[in-house]
Amino acid sequence: MKNIILFGAPGCGKGTQASKLVERYSLIHTSTGDLLRAEIKNKTELGRKAQVFMKKGELVADEVVIGMINNKINNNKTAKGFIFDGFPRTVKQAIALDKLLEKLEKPIVKTLMIKVKEEELTRRLKNRAIEQNRPDDQNEEVIQNRIKIYLEKTLPVADYYTKQNKLVEIKGEGTVDDIFERISKQLLS
Ligand code: AMP
């Protein structure tokens, strides 16, 4: 099993790259954002509660997303590996993920941090609002809040993996294929 994390600010291209990686390496794409949006679509209690935070660009409670990841891992114990996308977003989530994977003796091998300049992130999120009709991409204030929360709560997760010698930075500008090749090189090394 090869478990990797795609890490970076909202709009850095994690989802796009994860889909391509899944195709090439047969890993399981695990996006907490997608899991939460499915809960909202299915009108579950969890979805109803999560939506309040997502609409504002705030983070959903750690316990909720950790619970969802726990289920996903337990339901796919024979998987070749997981690509975590949008998780962990806090140090508490990172510690919980390590514990869950420790039980399987299959740790995270690399955390790939996709780096994109802030003005480019804002531009991409505005485009995504049109293309994917995501409510949390549509309002400038919410976009700015998501970036602020990324800097405050999520960026410390990068230090957490640096200390474990697992963080690799990837230049996130250029074509989708260029970025994909940079990531693939890292996965083969
Ligand atoms: P994403 O699709 O990854 O951009 O996530 C969309 C929204 O879902 C985020 O802005 C958060 O409100 C929520 N969310 C997704 N993943 C997490 C997570 N790991 N922890 C807390 N909230 C999350």
Side-chain angles (χ1 to χ4, degrees), residues 113-175:
M113 181 177 190
I114 308 178
K115 297 200 91 170
V116 175
K117 287 192 201 85
E118 193 170 324
E119 59 266 29
E120 171 67 8
L121 291 176
T122 314
R123 192 189 65 77
R124 288 190 195 177
L125 290 172
K126 283 186 188 155
N127 276 345
R128 190 166 76 180
I130 300 163
E131 285 162 13
Q132 297 178 13
N133 196 25
R134 272 183 54 159
D136 57 346
D137 287 338
Q138 296 193 358
N139 173 313
E140 178 84 37
E141 215 176 295
V142 174
I143 291 179
Q144 290 311 327
N145 195 33
R146 293 173 70 205
I147 294 175
K148 179 171 160 265
I149 287 185
Y150 169 76
L151 296 173
E152 279 174 17
K153 298 194 176 159
T154 305
L155 207 48
V157 174
D159 294 335
Y160 177 84
Y161 289 108
T162 300
K163 283 187 193 129
Q164 294 188 10
N165 246 327
K166 290 180 181 168
L167 194 87
V168 177
E169 290 190 6
I170 305 279
K171 191 173 148 239
E173 275 144 19
T175 67

Coordinates of all heavy atoms in Angstrom, one line a residue, residues 113-175:
M113 N 3.3 18.9 -1.6 CA 2.7 20.2 -1.4 C 2.7 21.0 -2.7 O 3.8 21.3 -3.2 CB 3.5 21.0 -0.3 CG 3.0 22.3 0.0 SD 3.9 23.1 1.3 CE 3.0 24.5 1.7
I114 N 1.6 21.3 -3.2 CA 1.5 22.0 -4.5 C 1.4 23.5 -4.3 O 0.5 24.0 -3.6 CB 0.2 21.5 -5.3 CG1 0.2 20.0 -5.4 CG2 0.2 22.2 -6.7 CD1 -1.1 19.4 -6.2
K115 N 2.5 24.2 -4.7 CA 2.6 25.6 -4.4 C 2.1 26.5 -5.6 O 2.7 26.4 -6.7 CB 4.0 25.9 -4.0 CG 4.4 25.2 -2.8 CD 5.6 25.8 -2.1 CE 5.2 26.8 -1.1 NZ 6.3 27.3 -0.2
V116 N 1.2 27.4 -5.3 CA 0.7 28.3 -6.3 C 0.5 29.7 -5.6 O 0.2 29.8 -4.5 CB -0.7 27.8 -6.8 CG1 -1.4 28.8 -7.7 CG2 -0.6 26.5 -7.4
K117 N 0.9 30.8 -6.4 CA 0.8 32.1 -5.8 C -0.7 32.5 -5.5 O -1.6 32.1 -6.2 CB 1.3 33.1 -6.9 CG 2.8 33.1 -7.0 CD 3.3 34.3 -7.8 CE 4.7 34.1 -8.4 NZ 4.6 33.4 -9.7
E118 N -0.8 33.4 -4.5 CA -2.2 33.7 -4.0 C -3.1 34.3 -5.1 O -4.3 33.9 -5.2 CB -2.1 34.6 -2.8 CG -3.4 34.6 -2.1 CD -3.4 35.3 -0.7 OE1 -2.4 35.2 0.0 OE2 -4.4 36.0 -0.4
E119 N -2.6 35.2 -5.9 CA -3.5 35.8 -6.9 C -4.0 34.7 -8.0 O -5.1 34.8 -8.4 CB -2.9 37.0 -7.6 CG -1.6 36.8 -8.3 CD -0.4 37.1 -7.5 OE1 -0.4 37.0 -6.3 OE2 0.6 37.5 -8.1
E120 N -3.1 33.8 -8.2 CA -3.5 32.7 -9.2 C -4.5 31.8 -8.5 O -5.5 31.3 -9.2 CB -2.2 31.9 -9.5 CG -2.4 30.6 -10.3 CD -2.9 30.8 -11.7 OE1 -3.0 31.9 -12.2 OE2 -3.3 29.8 -12.4
L121 N -4.4 31.6 -7.2 CA -5.4 30.7 -6.5 C -6.8 31.4 -6.6 O -7.8 30.7 -6.9 CB -5.1 30.6 -5.0 CG -3.8 29.8 -4.6 CD1 -3.6 29.9 -3.1 CD2 -4.0 28.4 -5.0
T122 N -6.8 32.7 -6.3 CA -8.1 33.4 -6.4 C -8.7 33.3 -7.8 O -9.9 33.1 -7.9 CB -7.9 34.9 -6.0 OG1 -7.1 34.9 -4.8 CG2 -9.2 35.6 -5.7
R123 N -7.9 33.5 -8.8 CA -8.4 33.4 -10.2 C -9.0 32.0 -10.5 O -10.0 31.9 -11.0 CB -7.2 33.7 -11.1 CG -7.6 34.0 -12.6 CD -6.4 34.0 -13.5 NE -5.7 32.8 -13.6 CZ -6.1 31.7 -14.3 NH1 -7.2 31.8 -15.0 NH2 -5.4 30.6 -14.4
R124 N -8.2 31.0 -10.1 CA -8.7 29.6 -10.3 C -10.0 29.3 -9.6 O -10.9 28.6 -10.1 CB -7.7 28.6 -9.9 CG -6.4 28.6 -10.7 CD -5.6 27.4 -10.3 NE -4.3 27.4 -10.9 CZ -3.3 26.6 -10.6 NH1 -3.6 25.5 -9.8 NH2 -2.1 26.7 -11.1
L125 N -10.1 29.8 -8.3 CA -11.4 29.5 -7.6 C -12.6 30.2 -8.2 O -13.6 29.6 -8.3 CB -11.2 30.0 -6.1 CG -10.2 29.1 -5.3 CD1 -10.0 29.8 -3.9 CD2 -10.8 27.7 -5.1
K126 N -12.3 31.4 -8.8 CA -13.5 32.1 -9.4 C -13.9 31.3 -10.7 O -15.1 31.2 -11.0 CB -13.0 33.5 -9.8 CG -13.1 34.5 -8.6 CD -12.8 35.9 -9.0 CE -12.6 36.8 -7.8 NZ -11.8 38.0 -8.2
N127 N -12.9 30.8 -11.4 CA -13.2 30.0 -12.6 C -14.0 28.7 -12.2 O -14.9 28.3 -12.9 CB -12.0 29.5 -13.3 CG -11.5 30.6 -14.3 OD1 -12.2 31.5 -14.6 ND2 -10.2 30.5 -14.7
R128 N -13.5 28.1 -11.1 CA -14.2 26.9 -10.7 C -15.6 27.1 -10.3 O -16.5 26.3 -10.5 CB -13.4 26.3 -9.5 CG -13.8 24.9 -9.1 CD -12.8 24.2 -8.2 NE -12.9 24.7 -6.9 CZ -12.1 24.3 -5.9 NH1 -11.2 23.4 -6.1 NH2 -12.2 24.8 -4.7
A129 N -15.9 28.3 -9.7 CA -17.2 28.7 -9.3 C -18.2 28.6 -10.5 O -19.3 28.1 -10.4 CB -17.3 30.1 -8.7
I130 N -17.7 29.0 -11.7 CA -18.5 29.0 -12.9 C -18.6 27.6 -13.4 O -19.7 27.1 -13.7 CB -17.9 29.9 -14.0 CG1 -17.8 31.4 -13.4 CG2 -18.6 29.9 -15.3 CD1 -16.9 32.3 -14.2
E131 N -17.4 26.9 -13.5 CA -17.4 25.5 -14.1 C -18.1 24.5 -13.3 O -18.8 23.6 -13.8 CB -15.9 25.1 -14.3 CG -15.3 25.8 -15.5 CD -13.7 25.7 -15.4 OE1 -13.2 24.9 -14.6 OE2 -13.1 26.5 -16.1
Q132 N -17.9 24.5 -11.9 CA -18.5 23.4 -11.1 C -19.6 23.9 -10.2 O -20.2 23.1 -9.5 CB -17.4 22.8 -10.2 CG -16.3 22.2 -11.0 CD -15.2 21.7 -10.1 OE1 -15.3 21.5 -8.9 NE2 -14.0 21.4 -10.7
N133 N -20.0 25.1 -10.3 CA -21.1 25.7 -9.5 C -21.0 25.4 -8.0 O -21.9 24.9 -7.4 CB -22.4 25.1 -10.1 CG -23.6 25.9 -9.6 OD1 -23.5 27.1 -9.3 ND2 -24.8 25.3 -9.6
R134 N -19.8 25.6 -7.5 CA -19.5 25.3 -6.1 C -19.9 26.6 -5.3 O -19.2 27.6 -5.5 CB -18.1 24.9 -5.8 CG -17.9 23.4 -6.0 CD -16.5 23.1 -5.7 NE -16.0 23.5 -4.4 CZ -15.0 23.0 -3.7 NH1 -14.3 22.0 -4.3 NH2 -14.5 23.5 -2.6
P135 N -20.8 26.5 -4.4 CA -21.2 27.7 -3.6 C -20.1 28.4 -2.9 O -20.0 29.6 -2.8 CB -22.3 27.3 -2.7 CG -22.5 25.8 -2.9 CD -21.6 25.3 -3.9
D136 N -19.1 27.6 -2.4 CA -18.0 28.2 -1.6 C -17.0 28.8 -2.4 O -16.0 29.4 -1.9 CB -17.4 27.1 -0.6 CG -16.9 25.9 -1.3 OD1 -17.2 25.7 -2.5 OD2 -16.1 25.1 -0.7
D137 N -17.1 28.8 -3.8 CA -16.1 29.5 -4.6 C -16.7 30.7 -5.2 O -16.1 31.5 -5.9 CB -15.8 28.6 -5.8 CG -14.9 27.4 -5.4 OD1 -14.2 27.5 -4.4 OD2 -14.8 26.4 -6.2
Q138 N -18.0 31.0 -4.9 CA -18.7 32.1 -5.6 C -18.6 33.5 -5.0 O -18.8 34.4 -5.7 CB -20.2 31.7 -5.8 CG -20.2 30.4 -6.6 CD -21.6 30.1 -7.1 OE1 -22.5 30.7 -6.9 NE2 -21.7 29.0 -7.9
N139 N -18.2 33.5 -3.8 CA -18.2 34.8 -3.1 C -16.8 35.1 -2.7 O -16.1 34.4 -2.1 CB -19.2 34.6 -1.9 CG -19.2 35.7 -0.9 OD1 -18.1 36.3 -0.6 ND2 -20.4 36.1 -0.5
E140 N -16.4 36.3 -3.1 CA -15.0 36.8 -2.9 C -14.6 36.7 -1.4 O -13.5 36.2 -1.1 CB -14.9 38.2 -3.4 CG -13.5 38.9 -3.2 CD -12.5 38.6 -4.3 OE1 -13.0 38.5 -5.5 OE2 -11.4 38.4 -4.0
E141 N -15.6 37.1 -0.6 CA -15.3 37.1 0.9 C -15.0 35.7 1.4 O -14.1 35.4 2.2 CB -16.5 37.6 1.6 CG -16.2 38.5 2.8 CD -17.5 39.0 3.4 OE1 -18.1 39.9 2.7 OE2 -17.9 38.6 4.5
V142 N -15.8 34.7 0.9 CA -15.7 33.3 1.3 C -14.3 32.7 0.8 O -13.6 32.0 1.5 CB -16.9 32.4 0.9 CG1 -16.6 31.0 1.2 CG2 -18.1 32.9 1.5
I143 N -14.0 33.1 -0.4 CA -12.7 32.7 -1.0 C -11.6 33.2 -0.1 O -10.7 32.4 0.3 CB -12.5 33.2 -2.4 CG1 -13.5 32.5 -3.4 CG2 -11.1 33.0 -2.9 CD1 -13.4 33.0 -4.8
Q144 N -11.6 34.5 0.3 CA -10.5 35.0 1.1 C -10.5 34.3 2.4 O -9.4 34.1 3.0 CB -10.7 36.5 1.3 CG -10.5 37.4 0.0 CD -9.2 37.0 -0.7 OE1 -8.2 36.6 -0.1 NE2 -9.2 37.0 -2.1
N145 N -11.7 34.0 3.0 CA -11.7 33.3 4.3 C -11.1 31.9 4.2 O -10.4 31.5 5.1 CB -13.2 33.2 4.8 CG -13.2 32.9 6.2 OD1 -12.4 33.3 7.0 ND2 -14.2 32.1 6.6
R146 N -11.4 31.2 3.1 CA -10.8 29.9 2.9 C -9.3 30.0 2.9 O -8.6 29.1 3.4 CB -11.4 29.2 1.7 CG -12.8 28.9 1.9 CD -13.4 28.4 0.6 NE -13.0 27.1 0.3 CZ -12.9 26.6 -0.9 NH1 -13.3 27.3 -2.0 NH2 -12.5 25.4 -1.1
I147 N -8.8 31.0 2.2 CA -7.3 31.1 2.1 C -6.7 31.5 3.4 O -5.7 30.9 3.9 CB -6.9 32.1 1.0 CG1 -7.3 31.6 -0.4 CG2 -5.4 32.4 1.0 CD1 -7.1 32.5 -1.6
K148 N -7.4 32.4 4.2 CA -7.0 32.8 5.5 C -6.9 31.5 6.4 O -5.9 31.3 7.2 CB -7.9 33.8 6.1 CG -7.6 34.3 7.4 CD -8.5 35.5 7.8 CE -8.6 35.7 9.3 NZ -9.7 35.1 9.9
I149 N -8.0 30.7 6.4 CA -8.0 29.5 7.3 C -6.9 28.5 6.8 O -6.3 27.9 7.7 CB -9.4 28.9 7.2 CG1 -10.3 29.8 8.0 CG2 -9.4 27.5 7.8 CD1 -11.7 29.4 8.3
Y150 N -6.6 28.5 5.6 CA -5.6 27.6 5.1 C -4.2 28.1 5.7 O -3.5 27.2 6.3 CB -5.4 27.7 3.6 CG -4.2 27.0 3.1 CD1 -4.1 25.6 3.0 CD2 -3.1 27.8 2.7 CE1 -2.9 25.0 2.6 CE2 -1.9 27.1 2.3 CZ -1.8 25.8 2.2 OH -0.7 25.1 1.8
L151 N -4.0 29.4 5.7 CA -2.7 29.9 6.2 C -2.6 29.7 7.8 O -1.6 29.3 8.3 CB -2.6 31.4 5.9 CG -2.4 31.7 4.4 CD1 -2.5 33.2 4.2 CD2 -1.2 31.1 3.8
E152 N -3.7 29.9 8.5 CA -3.7 29.8 9.9 C -3.7 28.3 10.4 O -3.0 28.0 11.3 CB -5.0 30.5 10.5 CG -4.9 32.0 10.6 CD -6.2 32.6 11.0 OE1 -7.1 31.8 11.6 OE2 -6.3 33.8 10.8
K153 N -4.6 27.5 9.9 CA -4.8 26.2 10.5 C -4.2 25.0 9.7 O -3.9 24.0 10.3 CB -6.4 25.9 10.6 CG -7.0 26.9 11.5 CD -8.4 26.5 11.9 CE -9.0 27.5 12.9 NZ -10.5 27.4 12.9
T154 N -4.1 25.2 8.4 CA -3.7 24.1 7.6 C -2.2 24.1 7.3 O -1.5 23.0 7.3 CB -4.5 24.0 6.3 OG1 -5.9 24.0 6.6 CG2 -4.2 22.8 5.5
L155 N -1.6 25.3 7.1 CA -0.2 25.4 6.8 C 0.7 24.7 7.9 O 1.7 24.0 7.5 CB 0.2 26.8 6.6 CG 1.4 27.1 5.7 CD1 1.4 26.3 4.4 CD2 1.6 28.6 5.4
P156 N 0.3 24.8 9.2 CA 1.2 24.0 10.2 C 1.3 22.5 9.9 O 2.2 21.9 10.4 CB 0.4 24.3 11.5 CG -0.3 25.6 11.3 CD -0.7 25.6 9.8
V157 N 0.3 22.0 9.1 CA 0.4 20.6 8.8 C 1.7 20.3 7.9 O 2.3 19.2 8.0 CB -0.9 20.1 8.0 CG1 -0.8 18.7 7.6 CG2 -2.1 20.3 8.9
A158 N 2.1 21.3 7.1 CA 3.3 21.1 6.3 C 4.5 20.9 7.2 O 5.3 20.0 7.0 CB 3.5 22.3 5.4
D159 N 4.6 21.7 8.3 CA 5.7 21.5 9.3 C 5.7 20.1 9.9 O 6.7 19.5 10.1 CB 5.6 22.6 10.4 CG 5.8 24.0 9.9 OD1 6.4 24.1 8.9 OD2 5.3 24.9 10.6
Y160 N 4.5 19.7 10.2 CA 4.3 18.4 10.8 C 5.0 17.3 9.9 O 5.7 16.4 10.4 CB 2.8 18.1 11.0 CG 2.5 16.7 11.6 CD1 2.5 16.5 12.9 CD2 2.1 15.7 10.7 CE1 2.1 15.3 13.5 CE2 1.8 14.4 11.2 CZ 1.8 14.2 12.6 OH 1.5 13.0 13.1
Y161 N 4.7 17.4 8.6 CA 5.3 16.4 7.7 C 6.8 16.7 7.4 O 7.6 15.8 7.1 CB 4.5 16.2 6.4 CG 3.2 15.5 6.7 CD1 2.0 16.2 6.7 CD2 3.2 14.2 7.1 CE1 0.8 15.6 7.0 CE2 2.0 13.6 7.4 CZ 0.8 14.3 7.4 OH -0.4 13.6 7.7
T162 N 7.2 17.9 7.5 CA 8.6 18.3 7.3 C 9.4 17.6 8.4 O 10.5 17.0 8.1 CB 8.8 19.8 7.3 OG1 8.1 20.4 6.3 CG2 10.3 20.2 7.1
K163 N 8.9 17.7 9.6 CA 9.6 17.0 10.7 C 9.7 15.5 10.5 O 10.6 14.9 11.1 CB 8.8 17.3 12.0 CG 9.1 18.7 12.5 CD 8.5 19.0 13.9 CE 8.5 20.5 14.2 NZ 7.2 21.0 14.6
Q164 N 8.8 14.9 9.8 CA 8.9 13.5 9.5 C 9.7 13.2 8.2 O 9.7 12.1 7.8 CB 7.5 12.9 9.3 CG 6.6 12.9 10.6 CD 5.3 12.2 10.4 OE1 5.1 11.5 9.4 NE2 4.4 12.3 11.3
N165 N 10.2 14.3 7.6 CA 11.0 14.1 6.4 C 10.1 13.6 5.2 O 10.7 12.9 4.4 CB 12.1 13.2 6.6 CG 13.4 13.9 6.5 OD1 13.5 14.8 5.7 ND2 14.4 13.4 7.3
K166 N 8.9 14.0 5.2 CA 8.0 13.5 4.1 C 7.5 14.6 3.2 O 6.8 14.2 2.2 CB 6.8 12.8 4.8 CG 7.2 11.5 5.5 CD 6.0 10.8 6.1 CE 6.4 9.5 6.8 NZ 5.4 9.0 7.7
L167 N 7.8 15.8 3.5 CA 7.2 16.9 2.7 C 8.0 17.2 1.4 O 9.2 17.3 1.5 CB 7.0 18.2 3.5 CG 6.1 19.2 2.8 CD1 4.7 19.0 3.2 CD2 6.5 20.6 3.1
V168 N 7.4 17.2 0.3 CA 8.0 17.5 -1.0 C 7.3 18.7 -1.6 O 6.0 18.6 -1.7 CB 8.0 16.3 -1.9 CG1 8.7 16.7 -3.3 CG2 8.7 15.1 -1.3
E169 N 8.0 19.7 -2.1 CA 7.2 20.8 -2.7 C 7.2 20.6 -4.2 O 8.2 20.3 -4.8 CB 8.0 22.2 -2.4 CG 7.8 22.5 -0.9 CD 8.3 23.9 -0.6 OE1 8.6 24.7 -1.5 OE2 8.3 24.3 0.6
I170 N 6.0 20.9 -4.8 CA 5.8 20.8 -6.2 C 5.4 22.2 -6.8 O 4.5 22.8 -6.2 CB 4.7 19.8 -6.5 CG1 4.9 18.5 -5.9 CG2 4.4 19.7 -8.0 CD1 5.9 17.5 -6.6
K171 N 6.0 22.6 -7.8 CA 5.6 23.9 -8.4 C 4.2 23.7 -9.1 O 4.1 22.8 -10.0 CB 6.7 24.4 -9.4 CG 6.4 25.8 -9.9 CD 7.6 26.2 -10.8 CE 7.1 27.2 -11.8 NZ 7.4 26.8 -13.2
G172 N 3.2 24.4 -8.6 CA 1.9 24.2 -9.1 C 1.4 25.1 -10.2 O 0.2 25.2 -10.5
E173 N 2.4 25.7 -10.9 CA 2.0 26.6 -12.0 C 2.5 25.9 -13.3 O 3.5 25.2 -13.3 CB 2.6 28.0 -11.9 CG 1.6 28.8 -11.0 CD 2.3 29.8 -10.1 OE1 3.5 30.1 -10.3 OE2 1.7 30.3 -9.1
G174 N 1.8 26.2 -14.4 CA 2.1 25.5 -15.7 C 0.9 24.7 -16.1 O -0.2 24.8 -15.5
T175 N 1.0 23.8 -17.1 CA -0.1 23.0 -17.5 C -0.4 21.9 -16.5 O 0.5 21.5 -15.8 CB 0.1 22.4 -18.9 OG1 1.1 21.4 -18.8 CG2 0.5 23.5 -20.0

